[in-house]
Amino acid sequence: MSSLKVFYSRLRTEEKLIFEALERKGIPYDPMNIRNVDLSDIPLEPGDVALCRCLSQTQNVALAEILESRGIRTVNHSSVMLLCGDKIATAAALEHYGIPQPEYRVAFSPEKAVVMAEELGYPVVFKPAVGSWGRLLAKINDREAAEALIEHKSHMGAQHQVFFIQKYVEKGGFDLRVTLIGGEPLSAIQRWSDHWITNTARGGKALAYPLDPELRKLLYKVHDAIKGDFLAVDLFQTHDGWLVNEVNGQPEFRSSVNSVTGVDIPGIMVQYVWKLAG
Amino acid sequence: MTVNCMICDGILEMPGKVMEGELLVCPDCGTELEVISVDPLCLEEAPEVQEDWGE
């Protein structure tokens, strides 16, 4: 019989909700703390499914790649983790599929980063290619601030020497977080904040939002571009329509659960994952 | 069951069902502690947020 392994490193609210849902649905599973795991010792068979929930993207990708090499179905696949884990790769994929997103530039030198920020027009947002929870986002309002930030980034290691610069979007105080399972948009929340960063990890307040046909159509396109079993898409609403800001490949969903949206995300997710077991 | 905080020696009450990777907060000093193993029970100061953590 196939088995479901849930790999994790930190027992966040999400992992607790996943374990609770697995118990509630009567789905057999093995919780695996990655800290203590030796993959060569774990009995795994093709047809088994692994839900990869490590806090570290690096650990999660390495784990998924090893499991996939042994014929294990991973959620998400490592290719999706890599695509979503790199904001530049995500932006390129969205662009390839003609999906509207904030205007952006990628610079490979400090000098060109200043030029591109000027071309976009202030304010702009500098984002690290790898990062989450709103870490190291910088809204830059003028050339002097851009030059100072770029100088600081030049001392932060190789990862920060590729500059991802987005045109700042006036989003009216909220962004939208939509959770997709198996390519199907399940729930949407507005994340409101007085701060320009609206992540609920940074204190944004969540409110349920209805998924209309226009939004669903856009989200299906996003899934076509990114693939993935379990995604969270962040969008901005503008006068010209929705813009896709980011796609998360290791979603946190504590703010999108029943109490806010009426949707049992962990329950639907574990049933979906269990069905993948061969 | 109780365990002593390794930072301030305060006393933490363990929840009924505790799992590896769970975070507990010392009620005395507020330090975040991570459950490293359940049997034997072992806690460590939780690491700072890393650059690649998150979604």
Side-chain angles (χ1 to χ4, degrees), chain A residues 8-11 16 19 33 35-36 55-58 132-133 135 159-160 177 248-250 252, chain B residues 17-23 32 34-37 44 46-55:
Chain A
Y8 70 99
S9 55
R10 169 73 58 83
L11 207 61
K16 290 180 179 177
F19 292 140
N33 184 350
R35 174 188 279 266
N36 303 320
L55 193 52
S56 154
Q57 294 182 15
T58 312
S132 190
W133 301 338
R135 280 193 310 275
Q159 266 196 349
H160 296 275
R177 158 63 63 100
N248 299 283
Q250 299 167 208
E252 293 170 350
Chain B
K17 186 183 177 189
V18 67
M19 287 184 73
E20 289 174 4
E22 196 157 349
L23 281 186
E32 275 194 325
E34 182 175 348
V35 178
I36 301 304
S37 76
E44 282 184 4
E48 294 292 319
V49 173
Q50 301 294 306
E51 195 172 3
D52 71 335
W53 280 13
E55 302 185 89

Side-chain angles (χ1 to χ4, degrees), chain A residues 83-84 90 93-94 97 99-100 180 183 215-228 231-235 243-248:
Chain A
L83 190 53
C84 295
T90 306
L94 294 176
Y97 277 76
I99 294 166
L180 288 79
L215 196 51
R216 285 183 182 276
K217 190 176 168 189
L218 175 60
L219 291 159
Y220 290 137
K221 276 183 78 173
V222 173
H223 185 258
D224 286 344
I226 306 294
K227 311 295 184 290
L231 299 176
V233 183
D234 298 340
L235 305 102
L243 299 179
V244 175
N245 182 38
E246 290 182 5
V247 185
N248 299 283

Side-chain angles (χ1 to χ4, degrees), chain A residues 15-235:
Chain A
E15 283 66 54
K16 290 180 179 177
L17 289 168
I18 288 168
F19 292 140
E20 186 273 329
L22 287 162
E23 301 278 351
R24 180 161 40 91
K25 303 279 183 188
I27 297 171
Y29 69 100
D30 300 310
M32 316 286 289
N33 184 350
I34 191 105
R35 174 188 279 266
N36 303 320
V37 158
D38 177 348
L39 290 175
S40 61
D41 275 351
I42 300 176
L44 289 164
E45 301 292 337
D48 289 351
V49 180
L51 187 51
C52 303
R53 295 289 309 176
C54 299
L55 193 52
S56 154
Q57 294 182 15
T58 312
Q59 288 183 342
N60 228 26
V61 169
L63 169 71
E65 285 173 336
I66 293 168
L67 294 173
E68 287 155 14
S69 75
R70 293 173 62 180
I72 309 304
R73 177 67 156 83
T74 54
V75 175
N76 278 318
H77 193 275
S78 58
S79 59
V80 176
M81 295 179 191
L82 285 164
L83 190 53
C84 295
D86 183 329
K87 292 181 176 66
I88 297 171
T90 306
L94 294 176
E95 185 170 340
H96 181 70
Y97 277 76
I99 294 166
Q101 61 181 312
E103 193 178 353
Y104 74 96
R105 299 280 190 279
V106 177
F108 297 90
S109 71
E111 298 77 18
K112 199 68 181 170
V114 175
V115 171
M116 287 180 169
E118 299 262 303
E119 285 173 357
L120 281 171
Y122 300 106
V124 296
V125 178
F126 279 74
K127 292 183 171 182
V130 175
S132 190
W133 301 338
R135 280 193 310 275
L136 296 178
L137 302 191
K139 181 184 172 193
I140 296 297
N141 296 322
D142 56 39
R143 183 184 179 105
E144 286 76 17
E147 288 172 341
L149 177 76
I150 290 163
E151 165 73 9
H152 281 92
K153 287 172 85 71
S154 69
H155 294 281
M156 289 174 64
Q159 266 196 349
H160 296 275
Q161 304 315 305
V162 179
F163 300 91
F164 182 55
I165 315 162
Q166 272 184 342
K167 176 83 178 163
Y168 177 73
V169 175
E170 287 291 351
K171 55 183 189 259
F174 78 93
D175 75 351
L176 199 71
R177 158 63 63 100
V178 184
T179 304
L180 288 79
I181 296 177
E184 193 61 38
L186 283 184
S187 74
I189 56 167
Q190 288 177 311
R191 303 187 298 182
W192 286 89
S193 175
D194 292 333
H195 195 277
W196 68 276
I197 299 174
T198 46
N199 297 41
T200 47
R202 298 278 291 259
K205 187 183 172 195
L207 290 173
Y209 188 87
L211 281 161
D212 60 41
E214 178 201 349
L215 196 51
R216 285 183 182 276
K217 190 176 168 189
L218 175 60
L219 291 159
Y220 290 137
K221 276 183 78 173
V222 173
H223 185 258
D224 286 344
I226 306 294
K227 311 295 184 290
D229 297 299
F230 187 32
L231 299 176
V233 183
D234 298 340
L235 305 102

